[in-house]
Structures are given as structure tokens and as C-alpha cells.
Amino acid sequence: MSQADKLYRNYFLEYASYVVRDRAIPDLVDGFKPVQRRIMHTLFEMDDGRFMKVANVVGACMKYHPHGDSSIYEALVNLANCELFIEKQGNFGNFLTGDGAAAGRYIECRLKPFAKKVLYNPEITEYTESYDGRNKEPVLFPAKIPVVAVQGTMGIAVGMSTQILPHNLIEVLEAEKKALRGKKFELFPDFPGGGIMDVSEYADGKGKIAVRARLNASDPKKLVIEELPYGVTSEALIESIEKANATGQLKIASINDYTAKKAQIEICWQRNVYSEDMIPVLYATTDCEKKISVNPLVIVDGLPKAVPISEMIRFHAEHLVEVLTKELENDMRHLLEKLRARTLERIFIEERIYKSIEDKKSQEEVRNAIIEGFVPFEAELGGNPLDDDDIERLLKIPIRRISLFDIEKNRAEIREIEGNIKTIDYNLAHIREYAESYLTELE
């Protein structure tokens, strides 16, 4: 192999690896492709509870995503149309008709509270530098639900592709609860546009399904298509019907599309042709029936891997336990810090230790006086001696607060903190039950 061949080979492999991991294939942990993750990170940063112009979000996201605004805009519209994490306002297109969304300067979006509940926790999220080193972006969100199984995804990389169909959120959460209990479960796709589905060859997300339009043939001379197969627009369906009609397989007098929020395509038949007879022909010759091959390819520990849907759910059940444990431990740390601060403050004021530093002339003398004043109360501090941060915090207490100090209020706060600590201790000791109750709360 020549030097040029080696160079081309290396460049190709690097490019292929980049496309697979950083563009086309979602990660199993949070279910996002990099552009989607950067959009969500941008929305978390910008979130103030109000709607924001999509164009503004796209512009802000460009400091994280190095591939231009059009890819960000399209990914944001697709994310918003999943209606899981993003609330939309304006024309975001219509998946039934295939109409595109309005320009970013006309439409608005904002985060749903659900997004923060299941994705956002900066204190346990690992961050890395953005492509230009000026900002920090999350490596992965600590997702508490299997996002990729709920939203579904499609992506084409070099030499591989992924196709994961969407699933009903409530059914996914119920399956995750069963996985936490070690019970068996079965999960099948669920489509926002409805339709009829044959899952006999679904093979836990690694096979294929057949989807059909739902037809209303109550009128023998007029058939109405009320639900479309997944991935088929009304325009594409009508085109396939007109093609079958042109070849003589169907005998249509007229066809009208009234699809808006719901699918409604009316087909009127020629004389002596009836709906009941044409139904098998529609399924056989048009897009009223389609087969969809699925391939649950995701990134696992930096490498692409085909993961069955049930395995995704079981992984996320254990991942949920891990994330909730980290959150509880983090909350515990904050509570212990708050408890120590309140206890130090109470002792400092109630035992009048602040009086012992009034005549001290140097910083060292002040420090030593405070340390000596707390010696009799080390047991109340859990045997942990004062450090420089504790002393600095005590010295910053204003005189007004000392003079108006309410001991009973302080002790009530301490009791509340201790109660919260006991609750966290209990939840940590029963973490799987806590995880299950969390999923029930999401429903």
C-alpha cells in the first residue's frame, strides 16, 4: 500500500468515525445526537420561562455546533415536533401533509418543565470544551428516561444506519418499572398519526413491521382514509394512489385531500366500483401499506452497537438508579453543609462567642479565639473541627443579624434539615423503590 493510499485510508476512517459518533447516531445514555444535545443545552442556558424565537436559539447554539444554522434549525424543529421536551408556538409544519415549518424568525419555542425534571442537573453532568474552546458543553445529559426509545430516531452514517421507532411514553415508563422489579415486559412502537401495525416480525426492535392506513369503507361509493401509515404523508399517499389509478389497478372518479390536524383523504369510485373491492388493491399497490425495517443502532461507551429495545429499557432502569443515587448524595452533601452552617451560627451567637473577638487586634488572634470558643461544642459538629471557610462564614455575619437572631427559628430550620436528611437516608436505602415512585410521578 502506497503512502497516499495509507493517508486516504486513515482520513476516511477518521471521517467515518466522526460521522458515526458526532453526527448521525444517538447515544444510548441520553438518546441525543450531538446537535440535539447542543440544542437542549442552549435552551437550558436561555430558559427564562418565556417563548424564544427559534432563530435566536439557533444563533446561540452555533457557538457549540460547528456545522451551520440550517442543521440546527432542522434538528430543533424535529425535536419540537416530538412534543416531549420543547413547547412550540407558531407553524412547525405538519407531519401528516409533509408541509415544512415556517422560518426561524416567525416561530417560537421554550422548554417544558418535564425537560428539566428528566435531563437537567449541572452538578452531576460532565462537561467538555466546545469545538473552539470558548465554552463548555455537556458530554451527556444524566437522562432519567430512555429518550431514544420514546422519541425514536433515524440516521445514516458511513457504512451503517439507525432506525428506531417511537414508543408511547407511559408504556415505556411502565416497562422501566417492570425492569426495576426484574419482571418481563413487552414493548411495541406507537405512532402519533395512528394507523394499523403488524408487529409479528418486530423482533424486539431488530426486525421489521408492517404499517397500514386506517380506511373507512362505510360508504360503498366513497372510501375515506382516516389515519396514515407511519412515515407517509398525505401528499405521498395520494401520489401513489394516482399512480396505481393511471396503470388501471384502481378506478377512481375523484380524490380529495382534506387533511389538516387529522388525516382525511376521500376517494370516490367510478361506476360499478365499490369500496369493499378496492381495499385489498389499495393495500397491495399503494403506500396505504408499507414495511419498515428497524435497526436499533446507538452509541454505547463510544462505539456503535445494535441494542434491542428491551435491553435499552433494562439499561435505563439501572441508569436511573445510578442517576438518582448521585442526585440524592448531592442533595445530602448540600443539606449537611447547610446543617453545619446553621449549627455554627447558632453556637456562635447563642454562646456569645462573637464577644470573645471584640478586643482581638490581629486576624490570628480572632481566628484562635473562635476556635477556642467552639472547643466545648465539637460533639455538636460531628467531631469535625472548624476550618478557614467556617471561620470566614462566621465573621461575615452582620451585627444586625446577631442582634435580631431568633434561636427558635434557627432550631426549627435545623430540625427541618435533619428531617430531610433522614428522608434521603431512607431513599438511598430503598433506592429501587424510590426510582419506581419517581417513574410513577412522571406519568
Side-chain angles (χ1 to χ4, degrees):
M1 184 182 293
S2 68
Q3 187 65 26
D5 289 338
K6 288 180 181 178
L7 279 175
Y8 285 128
R9 177 184 175 85
N10 290 338
Y11 290 158
F12 176 78
L13 289 174
E14 287 178 13
Y15 170 74
S17 175
Y18 173 75
V19 171
V20 169
R21 294 192 305 172
D22 294 329
R23 290 181 69 175
I25 310 298
D27 198 286
L28 176 59
V29 172
D30 63 7
F32 290 128
K33 300 176 184 180
V35 64
Q36 295 172 325
R37 190 177 301 114
R38 288 161 181 159
I39 289 168
M40 293 303 300
H41 176 56
T42 302
L43 286 170
F44 284 133
E45 286 188 323
M46 298 177 69
D47 182 46
D48 59 3
R50 296 178 294 179
F51 280 101
M52 299 167 282
K53 289 287 187 184
V54 165
N56 289 341
V57 179
V58 171
C61 188
M62 286 184 70
K63 64 186 177 185
Y64 300 112
H65 193 64
H67 297 295
D69 60 333
S70 61
S71 61
I72 299 171
Y73 164 77
E74 290 171 10
L76 196 158
V77 168
N78 289 335
L79 265 179
N81 283 330
C82 290
E83 299 187 351
L84 186 63
F85 298 127
I86 300 175
E87 186 178 353
K88 54 190 181 179
Q89 183 167 274
N91 177 18
F92 275 74
N94 188 333
F95 71 93
L96 294 174
T97 62
D99 294 334
R105 61 187 178 274
Y106 298 124
I107 55 178
E108 297 178 319
C109 68
R110 67 180 175 188
L111 281 174
K112 291 183 176 182
F114 183 75
K116 282 198 169 183
K117 189 171 181 65
V118 303
L119 292 177
Y120 189 67
N121 193 328
E123 294 189 84
I124 64 169
T125 302
E126 181 185 354
Y127 289 85
T128 186
E129 287 188 349
S130 59
Y131 68 95
D132 62 1
R134 289 188 174 93
N135 299 281
K136 296 287 185 183
E137 62 176 301
V139 176
L140 294 167
F141 287 118
K144 301 188 186 79
I145 63 170
V147 175
V148 72
V150 177
Q151 292 191 150
T153 191
M154 183 176 68
I156 300 173
V158 179
M160 60 183 68
S161 65
T162 184
Q163 172 85 0
I164 300 172
L165 300 177
H167 296 75
N168 182 278
L169 175 62
I170 304 302
E171 292 177 359
V172 169
L173 295 179
E174 286 298 322
E176 199 170 349
K177 286 196 281 187
K178 288 181 180 178
L180 283 167
R181 296 194 294 266
K183 292 185 176 180
K184 292 183 179 180
F185 59 88
E186 208 168 24
L187 201 59
F188 298 115
D190 187 25
F191 306 122
I196 302 169
M197 174 175 60
D198 176 5
V199 295
S200 58
E201 298 180 81
Y202 186 53
D204 201 13
K206 299 182 77 173
K208 59 184 176 181
I209 65 167
V211 287
R212 280 184 167 186
R214 189 175 295 276
L215 310 179
N216 183 344
S218 56
D219 187 334
K221 294 300 294 178
K222 182 177 70 176
L223 183 142
V224 181
I225 300 173
E226 297 180 335
E227 294 176 4
L228 304 179
Y230 177 70
V232 178
T233 65
S234 60
E235 183 180 347
L237 184 57
I238 288 172
E239 186 179 333
S240 71
I241 293 171
E242 288 176 340
K243 185 177 179 181
N245 185 61
T247 58
Q249 295 168 303
L250 294 172
K251 297 183 180 183
I252 296 172
S254 65
I255 183 168
N256 298 294
D257 185 8
Y258 301 110
T259 301
K261 289 185 177 180
K262 291 184 178 180
Q264 188 179 6
I265 301 172
E266 290 185 357
I267 304 173
C268 296
W269 306 111
Q270 296 177 13
R271 184 176 296 181
N272 297 325
V273 179
Y274 301 97
S275 296
E276 188 176 325
D277 298 327
M278 289 293 101
I279 287 176
V281 182
L282 278 170
Y283 284 139
T285 62
T286 73
D287 285 347
C288 282
E289 178 174 326
K290 290 198 74 175
K291 290 191 182 298
I292 302 174
S293 296
V294 287
N295 181 32
L297 190 73
V298 290
I299 301 297
V300 181
D301 296 328
L303 297 173
K305 180 183 177 182
V307 180
I309 297 299
S310 60
E311 191 176 323
M312 287 186 190
I313 302 300
R314 282 191 286 269
F315 168 86
H316 268 277
E318 298 306 317
H319 181 66
L320 174 63
V321 169
E322 182 183 328
V323 171
L324 291 177
T325 299
K326 287 180 180 179
E327 287 191 343
L328 289 172
E329 290 173 346
N330 191 57
D331 291 343
M332 175 72 83
R333 179 173 58 81
H334 288 309
L335 284 172
L336 290 174
E337 289 173 356
K338 191 176 180 181
L339 177 62
R340 182 176 177 85
R342 293 289 182 272
T343 304
L344 286 171
E345 184 179 74
R346 179 186 61 78
I347 295 171
F348 186 68
I349 298 172
E350 187 178 12
E351 302 298 331
R352 302 176 69 83
I353 295 174
Y354 65 90
K355 286 286 187 181
S356 66
I357 65 174
E358 290 178 350
D359 59 346
K360 299 299 183 286
K361 297 180 179 179
S362 69
Q363 185 69 25
E364 189 63 28
E365 288 179 350
V366 170
R367 184 177 183 279
N368 291 335
I370 294 174
I371 291 174
E372 289 173 11
F374 272 92
V375 168
F377 309 101
E378 282 188 3
E380 292 187 52
L381 300 175
N384 298 318
L386 269 68
D387 57 26
D388 291 338
D389 289 337
D390 294 330
I391 294 170
E392 187 67 25
R393 193 181 301 116
L394 291 170
L395 291 175
K396 286 182 178 179
I397 299 175
I399 295 297
R400 179 178 176 82
R401 186 169 173 185
I402 292 175
S403 63
L404 298 176
F405 184 70
D406 187 335
I407 292 176
E408 288 307 314
K409 182 180 178 182
N410 178 275
R411 287 178 174 170
E413 288 180 2
I414 288 175
R415 285 194 295 271
E416 183 183 352
I417 294 169
E418 289 173 338
N420 291 336
I421 288 173
K422 287 181 181 177
T423 300
I424 289 179
D425 276 332
Y426 179 85
N427 288 336
L428 284 170
H430 303 81
I431 189 64
R432 299 187 86 81
E433 292 89 341
Y434 176 68
E436 191 171 335
S437 68
Y438 176 87
L439 292 173
T440 301
E441 185 183 332
L442 290 181
E443 295 176 1

